[in-house]
Amino acid sequence: PLYSSAASDVYKRQDKLYVKGLNTSVDKLMVINMLGQTVNEFKDVPAQTLDNGLSISGLASGTYVVYFNTENTTKTKKIIID
């Protein structure tokens, strides 16, 4: 299965983005601002890296959409940088 029994959880703490509960690597992960511009893009990110936190330092304060896809699914989540 793509996800563990608990649904995956996407959140930001300090300057790191966490995706918990994935059982597979992410083919592409993008951080998109409210103007629709991609401000960060990562490819072939192992699930372990996302579980431990992916650095997204340098983003301006504001609201962003995190978009990621694996071989089986696509997910989006809104995060706020303050």
Side-chain angles (χ1 to χ4, degrees):
L2 174 63
Y3 296 109
S4 63
S5 56
S8 73
D9 188 22
V10 179
Y11 62 94
K12 182 203 83 71
R13 185 175 340 148
Q14 293 161 343
D15 286 339
K16 289 194 172 188
L17 177 73
Y18 296 85
V19 181
K20 301 286 189 178
L22 281 180
N23 290 336
T24 185
S25 64
V26 169
D27 298 327
K28 181 161 53 168
L29 183 146
M30 296 187 299
V31 180
I32 302 166
N33 66 18
M34 290 292 101
L35 299 176
Q37 300 163 323
T38 301
V39 294
N40 263 338
E41 184 171 336
F42 305 91
K43 294 187 178 186
D44 301 319
V45 184
Q48 185 67 40
T49 299
L50 292 169
D51 196 57
N52 293 333
L54 183 66
S55 176
I56 54 168
S57 61
L59 292 180
S61 296
T63 303
Y64 297 85
V65 173
V66 175
Y67 160 96
F68 67 89
N69 64 332
T70 66
E71 59 190 29
N72 298 339
T73 192
T74 297
K75 185 162 184 155
T76 58
K77 172 81 177 198
K78 183 168 74 171
I79 62 169
I80 297 172
I81 308 285
D82 47 18

